[in-house]
Amino acid sequence: MSNVAVIGAQWGDEGKGKIVDWLSEKADVIVRFQGGHNAGHTLVVDGIIYKLKLLPSGIVRKNKISIIGNGVVIDPWALLDEIKQVEKLGVKINNKNLYIAENATLILPVHRELDGIREDSKNTDKIGTTRRGIGPAYEDKIGRRGIRVMDLANKKNLLKKINTILFHHNSIRKGLKKKLVNKKKLVKDLIKISPKILKYSKPVWKKIDEFKKKKKTIVFEGAQGMMLDVDHGTYPFVTSSNTIAGSAFAGTGCSPDTINYILSIVKAYTTRVGEGPFPTELKNETGDKIGRKGKEFGTVTNRKRRCGWFDAVLVKQSCIISGTKGIALTKIDVLDDFKNLYICVAYKLNGKKIDYLPSSLQEQTKIKPVYKRFDGWLKRTSGIKKWKDLPKNAQKYIRFIRDYCGVKISSISTSPKREDTILLENPFK
């Protein structure tokens, strides 16, 4: 059995939650390896809707182990609230089915506040963050002043760490004429929740190695999408972590030979939340129609997503960088009512055709999409479970994506329901 890493190949919101849940039926362990509670996954299982943010998608299944890796930044209060909400839906969560990396960095209230201060400032560009403190927490991690899960176990050490982190943050707040952090309250609040978080704390790298030796099947679950990668995305309109498949190794402590199959989740059209370049965006009735039919609102923020035609240039680039072996194509049913469909097959920049998304923000905002037109199928695909039952024009559309990107289509999702999936290649074999 192979171990599979699942990532988004666009700007997130590709439907990773459903696919990971579908894969987790055959997996033993499901691991989150980057991001925070700024990215949500919506699962529909047996008619019950689960909206997850930090918890891995496998948590809703019995006899599975869910792991939050060290690459994730964790808001402990948000996590405890999420656990409470999921338990209300009948899911039991304990230290037998949920592990948290002891070296994962915590998101503190000061991080959330700084996120909001920056977004509201007239002196900085608006990135369109979720204001949940993700970026500031990663900054403190890289700045070597972050507070980690393991730090909650020792009050004396915790106080020392808080002094270090507040020296930095209070300096910033003082300069911005903002109220300084209440140290006593922060310490009190952290100490209060410490036992509730520490009971899940484990050396995750060691546990994954043990599972590997026992031949357990592991799914590594990414958040956001590759075009939000802090190095390879539309910088600076990106998230604060690496979202490509390679970050699964650093974000969990597993060795490169642990993962055998990279599965990229790809939506049959393109969406984006927040600010930043979007070459195929449709600022018209067609874009609005895609949004309505696809119910394109963020799981976490409920923000309306920007919608556009499928960008094959962008997806191919994502697949190359992550070493994708298979594409899970989602939301094909959203396109059922369109007479004409378009796929971006190149960009025009300064009068010349190019076949990749450049790294420069200035160039990203200048490029114009070059489209190939396809006849729509104007037939219902929702709920179809076999390739042969798809309309011929839908098959043509999907084959083109496969051939252009040079990657097999491993599955096709035809509705939000887990069972409405066409399996063409089993990633576990």
Side-chain angles (χ1 to χ4, degrees):
M1 296 286 281
S2 295
N3 295 326
V4 181
V6 181
I7 61 164
Q10 293 153 305
W11 277 291
D13 308 308
E14 299 94 351
K16 293 182 291 298
K18 171 192 168 173
I19 300 300
V20 174
D21 172 63
W22 181 68
L23 290 170
S24 68
E25 186 177 21
K26 297 184 182 297
D28 302 300
V29 183
I30 300 88
V31 189
R32 272 283 307 272
F33 59 84
Q34 50 77 217
H37 64 310
N38 55 336
H41 293 164
T42 301
L43 312 180
V44 182
V45 183
D46 297 329
I48 301 174
I49 299 173
Y50 302 93
K51 293 191 175 184
L52 307 178
K53 303 176 187 72
L54 277 166
L55 292 171
S57 297
I59 199 71
V60 302
R61 295 187 166 279
K62 292 181 179 179
N63 304 317
K64 310 290 179 183
I65 293 173
S66 292
I67 296 176
I68 300 176
N70 58 273
V72 180
V73 285
I74 302 169
D75 182 323
W77 295 276
L79 175 60
L80 292 174
D81 183 64
E82 186 176 339
I83 289 172
K84 187 188 297 182
Q85 296 305 316
V86 172
E87 286 184 328
K88 283 181 181 178
L89 297 173
V91 177
K92 291 184 179 179
I93 300 174
N94 52 48
N95 59 4
K96 302 295 182 185
N97 66 350
L98 176 63
Y99 302 166
I100 300 176
E102 61 184 3
N103 52 337
T105 299
L106 297 179
I107 298 174
L108 306 178
V110 66
H111 295 129
R112 296 195 301 270
E113 291 162 11
L114 182 57
D115 221 351
I117 289 168
R118 286 174 175 169
E119 281 293 296
D120 295 333
S121 173
K122 295 177 181 178
N123 299 316
T124 58
D125 290 332
K126 203 175 186 68
I127 299 296
T129 77
T130 57
R131 298 170 179 258
R132 281 165 168 75
I134 311 298
Y138 274 117
E139 288 176 41
D140 282 342
K141 175 181 178 177
I142 299 304
R144 295 166 293 186
R145 57 183 169 265
I147 292 175
R148 304 194 287 179
V149 171
M150 66 178 77
D151 296 326
L152 299 176
N154 185 304
K155 184 177 178 180
K156 185 178 178 181
N157 183 53
L158 179 61
L159 287 169
K160 184 180 177 182
K161 294 256 183 177
I162 287 175
N163 284 334
T164 301
I165 200 169
L166 291 190
F167 174 77
H168 173 79
H169 281 271
N170 278 335
S171 297
I172 293 173
R173 293 165 80 104
K174 189 175 181 180
L176 294 172
K177 295 181 172 56
K178 300 293 180 180
K179 187 178 178 181
L180 301 187
V181 178
N182 186 329
K183 177 184 168 183
K184 285 185 178 180
K185 185 178 186 307
L186 177 58
V187 172
K188 183 181 176 182
D189 290 346
L190 280 172
I191 289 174
K192 183 178 178 180
I193 63 161
S194 291
K196 298 176 183 178
I197 296 295
L198 286 170
K199 70 178 182 179
Y200 302 110
S201 176
K202 290 203 171 46
V204 158
W205 65 271
K206 191 173 187 297
K207 289 295 180 182
I208 291 175
D209 185 58
E210 290 171 7
F211 294 137
K212 179 182 169 185
K213 288 174 179 175
K214 290 177 182 177
K215 307 294 183 185
K216 299 290 185 181
T217 303
I218 308 170
V219 171
F220 294 83
E221 178 182 16
Q224 290 107 1
M226 186 272 176
M227 283 298 149
L228 291 175
D229 186 279
V230 70
D231 288 306
H232 301 285
T234 48
Y235 188 90
F237 299 98
V238 292
T239 193
S240 300
S241 61
N242 288 108
T243 60
I244 61 172
S247 66
F249 308 120
T252 63
C254 76
S255 59
D257 64 347
T258 303
I259 299 173
N260 317 100
Y261 193 101
I262 309 297
L263 180 67
S264 284
I265 315 301
V266 177
K267 195 179 283 186
Y269 48 96
T270 311
T271 63
R272 173 162 202 170
V273 172
E275 309 294 325
F278 185 171
T280 65
E281 182 175 11
L282 296 169
K283 298 179 181 179
N284 54 24
E285 172 53 32
T286 302
D288 290 340
K289 182 179 177 181
I290 292 173
R292 287 194 304 272
K293 288 186 63 62
K295 297 177 181 175
E296 294 297 348
F297 295 92
T299 300
V300 172
T301 63
N302 204 38
R303 286 187 294 181
K304 183 180 178 182
R305 295 177 186 140
R306 300 153 64 190
C307 298
W309 295 123
F310 188 88
D311 191 334
V313 180
L314 182 149
V315 171
K316 182 177 182 178
Q317 187 164 325
S318 295
C319 290
I320 290 171
I321 291 172
S322 277
T324 302
K325 286 190 177 182
I327 286 174
L329 192 67
T330 65
K331 290 200 164 186
I332 193 74
D333 54 303
V334 173
L335 302 179
D336 287 353
D337 296 335
F338 290 85
K339 184 178 180 181
N340 296 300
L341 298 167
Y342 297 85
I343 292 179
C344 175
V345 295
Y347 301 131
K348 270 195 175 179
L349 177 64
N350 300 325
K352 295 182 180 179
K353 270 190 183 182
I354 59 172
D355 61 355
Y356 69 99
L357 184 72
S359 296
S360 163
L361 177 64
Q362 288 70 32
E363 292 182 342
Q364 289 171 358
T365 54
K366 284 181 182 178
I367 58 177
K368 302 295 181 186
V370 177
Y371 288 115
K372 179 178 175 62
R373 191 190 71 82
F374 291 80
D375 291 327
W377 41 92
L378 301 176
K379 293 179 182 178
R380 180 182 170 89
T381 61
S382 181
I384 288 178
K385 297 178 178 64
K386 294 181 180 178
W387 168 262
K388 66 180 180 65
D389 294 334
L390 285 173
K392 296 299 180 186
N393 284 346
Q395 292 181 2
K396 287 180 183 177
Y397 184 86
I398 294 166
R399 283 197 189 102
F400 182 85
I401 292 172
R402 176 199 65 191
D403 295 342
Y404 184 96
C405 295
V407 178
K408 293 178 182 178
I409 307 293
S410 67
S411 64
I412 303 161
S413 174
T414 58
S415 93
K417 295 178 181 177
R418 182 173 57 84
E419 59 271 18
D420 291 342
T421 305
I422 301 169
L423 181 64
L424 299 176
E425 178 180 78
N426 189 343
F428 289 118
K429 291 183 178 179

